[in-house]
Structure formats: C-alpha cells, structure tokens
Amino acid sequence: MTSLRRGQLSGFAAAVLFGCSAPLISTFTDSGSALSIAGLLYAGATLALAMVRLMKRRAKDESPLQRHDAPALAGVILLGGIVGPVALVLGLARLPAASSSLLLNLETVFTLAIAVLVGREHLGKRGAAAAALTIAGAIVLSDGSLGGANAAGTALIALATLAWGIDNNLSQRLSLRDPIQIATVKALGASLPMLVLALVLGHPFPPATDCAGLLLVGALGYGLSIWLDLLALRDLGAAREAVIFSTAPFVGGLFALVVLRDSFTLNLSVAAGLMGSGVVLLLREEHSHCHHHHALRHDHRHRHDPVAGNFHHEHEHNPQQLDGIDINQPFWHAHEHDHSPTAHAHPHVSDAHHRHPH
C-alpha cells in the first residue's frame, strides 16, 4: 500500500469515528455540564491511547517526541485541546444548532488556508474543487442558515474553529513523531484541565452509566480518531487531510439516520452527492513535476526496500540502526538521517519532504 492510499484510508477512518461520535454525544448532553462531558470524552481518549501504547510498547520504527517539539506540542494541547473545546461550549450556549453546525465548517476553511498560505502546501485544481464540493456538502447538511446567530456566539465558534485549524497544521508538523505518543499527550493534556476546572467550578457530572458511555465514545471518536488523523496528516499534509476529514458531518448524519433512526432528509442526499463527488476528485488527483530537495537532517519513521529502492531514503546505516532487521526484505525503522540535495520528478503530496514553491 502506498503512503498516499494509507493516508487516505486513515483519514476516512478518523472521519468515520469522529462523525459517529457527534450524534452519540448529543444523547448525553442533558446528563451533565458541557465542560464535564468534554473532559470525560478526552479522558476516554487518554485511556484508550494509553492501552494501545502498552500493547505496542516502544515502537522501534517510530521516532519519539523530542525536546524541540515542546512548543508545537504545547500549541496543540492549548489550542486544540483547551481553547477550541471551551470556546465551542461557550459558543454553543449562545447559538441555535443549525447556525452552530454551519459555522463549525470554518475549521476546514481555516485548516486549508493556513496549510496553503502559511505552510506552503500545494493543492491543485482537483484538490481545490474537491475541497469546495465537500465544504458545500457540509453547508447543505447544516441547513446553510445563520438564523438566530449573534456576534458573541459567532465569534466564539469562529475562535474554536481557528484554534482547531492551527492545531491541525501544528499536528501535521509533529506527525513525523510517534503518533500514539502525540495523541496520548494531547488527550491527557486536554482532559485533566477540563475535569479539574469542572470540579473546581462545581459543574454537575453525568451518572456513572453515562460516564462509562462517554468514556467509550471518547475512546473511539476522540482517541483512535486523533491517532488515525495524525497518520493521515503525516502521509497527506494538512490541506488534503482537511478535505477528507470534512466528510465527518455526512458520516454523522448517516449514522444518526441508520442507528438513531433520525428522519431522512433531502439535505442528506444532496450532501452525499456533493461530498461523494469531492472524494472521487481527491482520490483521482495526482501531482507530479520536477522539484528540488535541499540538504536536510531529521529523525522520523521511513521505509527501505532493497529491491525497489526509495526516492528519499538512500543513506548509510550503522550496525545499531539495523539491529534485528532483515535487510534483504523491505523494512521500516526510525533514526536521525541526512538527505542530500537532489532533483527529480515523481507523484507527491505536501508531506515533510515536499514543501516547496510551485
């Protein structure tokens, strides 16, 4: 499986898990405060990711977080785990559901804009058309109405989506590190402050059975979804990941229809057509041209193939780096390595090795 296809599958899986979590969470909203519910969701994510880390132990084919990753990691925790959810909770209290759903689509817009304008990622004509179609589908799904919106509520939702847009781009830069480690630290860093704040402020917590349900939803819809989303960010870049993840509202609508027995709507069928067309366009996109690579030294997971070779990872190894590895077979591992300056042409996306001018 190519890294492109692997990233697409990881992104869709993340969107499915997160999309299904939204209608499930809506069934718990009357059982406790928004802050305690959000804290429990991230606590479930932390528990699930910690269990996965224990089962995987220390992965030799992944690069762990390093000291110089601390600023980006702090930004991910602060913006994506705390500012975004708190602004969302405050905004939802001031806006009707339809206008809130519409404004939440700004996350895709912010993620794309930051990735292309600041992160120098490339999104071709097909990619841009796919983004437009999926965003249009999300707008149709959320009724496309800002009726009842007020300035304070709109600003808070916009702040939440901007925080998540920055979070997505920072997470893409961190995605060369061990995704399980990143996701665990993020979930723990988000859950503890919200749970402590809810306790200090005396917010009501759901009954024990509802707490268990929220922990389970958080484990799947937040924990595993964050992990899979980091894998997609690594292989696709933030812009293409945003297009794929923007299908989550449709997944949530479909889940509510099939599992929760919500009524079928015309908006759902129109959104399905728009988003389906966008996904097909994105899957068929191929970007290839002659490009230059500058000298680079970094540490991340990469693959060696003794038969097919590798465009970017032909370098020498010391015995410790190959300990326990059959070098006659394709293998993955992680270590610090150098990239020599080179120029070549092949299909690529805006991953860590292909952020260059176009």
Side-chain angles (χ1 to χ4, degrees), residues 42 46 77-78 81-82 182-194:
Y42 274 104
T46 304
I77 295 172
L78 177 63
I82 298 175
I182 298 169
T184 305
V185 173
K186 177 181 179 180
L188 180 62
S191 63
L192 280 179
M194 286 192 286

Side-chain angles (χ1 to χ4, degrees), residues 5 10 43 63 68 74 78 103 127 157 172 193 209 215 221 287:
R5 189 66 66 211
S10 298
S63 174
H68 62 263
L78 177 63
L103 289 167
I157 296 293
Q172 200 278 331
T209 53
L215 289 173
H287 176 64

Side-chain angles (χ1 to χ4, degrees), residues 46-288:
T46 304
L47 292 173
L49 292 166
M51 290 176 62
V52 173
R53 285 201 71 195
L54 285 175
M55 290 187 291
K56 288 172 65 68
R57 296 189 179 181
R58 168 72 174 91
K60 291 185 177 180
D61 62 347
E62 289 287 0
S63 174
L65 284 166
Q66 300 176 11
R67 183 175 298 177
H68 62 263
D69 296 323
L73 185 62
V76 165
I77 295 172
L78 177 63
L79 294 172
I82 298 175
V83 173
V86 170
L88 176 66
V89 169
L90 294 173
L92 289 174
R94 292 167 169 78
L95 296 176
S99 55
S100 298
S101 298
L102 179 62
L103 289 167
L104 285 173
N105 296 316
L106 288 172
E107 179 181 349
T108 302
V109 178
F110 282 132
T111 300
L112 281 167
I114 295 169
V116 174
L117 299 177
V118 180
R120 297 194 310 162
E121 293 193 19
H122 177 264
L123 196 65
K125 292 181 179 179
R126 283 192 176 185
L133 286 168
T134 51
I135 293 171
I139 291 173
V140 168
L141 200 61
S142 55
D143 292 331
S145 172
L146 284 173
N150 58 60
T154 300
L156 285 165
I157 296 293
L159 174 62
T161 57
L162 175 60
W164 285 325
I166 299 173
D167 168 32
N168 290 334
N169 281 274
L170 288 175
S171 295
Q172 200 278 331
R173 299 303 173 113
L174 286 171
S175 62
L176 291 181
R177 306 294 179 228
D178 185 352
I180 283 289
Q181 186 183 17
I182 298 169
T184 305
V185 173
K186 177 181 179 180
L188 180 62
S191 63
L192 280 179
M194 286 192 286
L195 290 175
V196 170
L197 187 60
L199 287 169
V200 170
L201 296 178
H203 285 204
F205 277 73
T209 53
D210 286 355
C211 284
L214 286 165
L215 289 173
L216 179 60
V217 172
L220 299 174
Y222 284 67
L224 296 185
S225 180
I226 292 172
W227 174 34
L228 291 166
D229 196 48
L230 284 166
L231 295 174
L233 285 165
R234 168 190 285 179
D235 289 328
L236 301 178
R240 286 170 178 78
E241 177 275 339
V243 175
I244 290 177
F245 201 77
S246 65
T247 60
F250 168 70
V251 173
L254 189 63
F255 181 84
L257 174 67
V258 175
V259 178
L260 302 182
R261 301 298 181 183
D262 282 6
S263 57
F264 180 79
T265 64
L266 177 62
N267 284 8
L268 188 62
S269 61
V270 174
L274 289 169
M275 289 184 168
S277 300
V279 168
V280 170
L281 273 178
L282 191 66
L283 292 177
R284 295 181 62 186
E285 184 195 31
E286 185 172 284
H287 176 64
S288 178

Side-chain angles (χ1 to χ4, degrees), residues 17-39:
L17 288 171
F18 183 75
C20 291
S21 71
L24 288 173
I25 293 169
S26 69
T27 64
F28 294 100
T29 52
D30 294 332
S31 63
S33 74
L35 198 58
S36 65
I37 289 172

